[in-house]
């Protein structure tokens, strides 16, 4: 009998290893940075009008790479204005990296950072217990909605904290038909060892929620891919880690039943998931940016 499959989230070290490898092998951060360069200035054009202080809340800020790009755009739009940047991030390891990154970055004199080592839900519970409901000029949730238990409730809560000119920006995997993630998740949801820590949610789900709540939003699609060629080289360490990331299963190639592994490997090569180019297998990692009005 095959050894039982375990969720990747039960092994935080392996999860971080596979996540970093995913960032190295994908255009995830590049496509986000391009969006921040070309489209973000219009999104934040009025968030700080007439204000001497701008309050920004980063929900699931990770190690801060994208947060610092966002801050540089806000600084460029509102030179000299004080920015309070609060970060909600449950991983102590990621917060350490974020702080190191801030220490190495110049021109942050007018930015005050506050880190909260907690989940979005813990933050909400704490604010409610303290009867606080601080309002924010810009809230962003980048690639983090997979890790909340109640996605609609989380969006509703943070949306309720927006100031009149504010924006809530969400980035997550695309729900388009060609999205590799959407294809994999739809088919294998019940076969992978999901635990309570993670849910399969794409922009298609978020659009449905926002439409039913009658909220106004704009949607931008960001083309992105991940090189998964190494997944098809038997015994390749990087390939095994990337497979773990794709299936959210720790040691997938060693613990998955042979038939499941065969099907997954076959589907990963199909055009619904990936494109074959120059001898490489490029998984469709397209993202969606959703900008929600107050």
């Amino acid at each position: 009998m095959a050894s039982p499959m375990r969720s990747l989230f039960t092994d935080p070290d392996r999860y971080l290893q596979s996540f970093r490898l995913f960032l190295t092998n994908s255009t995830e951060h590049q496509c986000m940075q391009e969006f921040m360069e070309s489209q973000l200035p219009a999104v934040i054009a009025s968030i700080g009008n007439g204000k001497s202080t701008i309050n920004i809340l980063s929900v699931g800020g990770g190690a801060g790479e994208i947060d610092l790009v966002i801050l540089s755009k806000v600084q460029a739009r509102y030179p000299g204005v004080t920015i309070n940047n609060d970060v909600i991030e449950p991983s102590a390891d990621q917060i350490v990296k974020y702080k190191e990154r801030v220490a190495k970055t110049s021109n942050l004199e007018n930015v005050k950072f506050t880190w909260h080592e907690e989940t979005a839900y813990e933050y909400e519970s704490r604010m409610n217990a303290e009867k606080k409901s601080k309002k924010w000029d810009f809230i962003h949730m980048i690639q983090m909605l997979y890790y909340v238990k109640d996605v609609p409730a989380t969006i509703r809560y943070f949306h309720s904290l927006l100031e009149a000119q504010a924006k809530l920006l969400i980035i997550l995997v695309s729900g388009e038909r060609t999205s590799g993630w959407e294809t994999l998740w739809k088919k294998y949801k019940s076969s992978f060892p999901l635990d309570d820590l993670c849910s399969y949610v794409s922009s298609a789900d978020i659009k449905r929620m926002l439409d039913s709540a009658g909220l106004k939003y704009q949607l931008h699609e960001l083309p992105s891919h991940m090189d998964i060629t190494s997944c098809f080289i038997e015994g390749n360490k990087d390939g095994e880690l990337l497979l773990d990331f794709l299936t959210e299963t720790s040691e997938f190639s060693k613990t998955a039943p042979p038939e499941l592994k065969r099907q997954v490997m076959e589907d990963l090569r199909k055009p619904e998931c990936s494109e074959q180019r120059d001898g490489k297998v490029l998984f469709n990692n397209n993202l969606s940016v959703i900008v929600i009005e107050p």
Side-chain angles (χ1 to χ4, degrees), residues 40-60:
L40 188 68
V43 172
I44 58 169
S46 59
I47 61 168
N49 285 356
K51 300 196 167 203
S52 56
T53 304
I54 295 174
N55 295 315
I56 297 179
L57 181 61
S58 162
V59 188

Side-chain angles (χ1 to χ4, degrees), residues 77-129:
R77 174 68 185 85
Y78 300 100
V81 170
T82 301
I83 300 171
N84 290 324
N85 187 69
D86 278 38
V87 181
I88 300 169
E89 171 52 57
S91 163
D93 179 70
Q94 294 284 72
I95 290 177
V96 167
K97 293 199 161 41
Y98 196 136
K99 289 179 175 175
E100 287 168 357
R101 189 166 265 117
V102 167
K104 289 192 207 118
T105 306
S106 52
N107 307 326
L108 291 173
E109 296 77 22
N110 62 328
V111 184
K112 180 175 170 287
F113 289 90
T114 310
W115 286 273
H116 307 277
E117 192 187 313
E118 57 193 349
T119 64
Y121 180 70
E122 286 163 350
Y123 175 85
E124 179 183 343
S125 306
R126 184 168 62 82
M127 288 295 133
N128 289 337

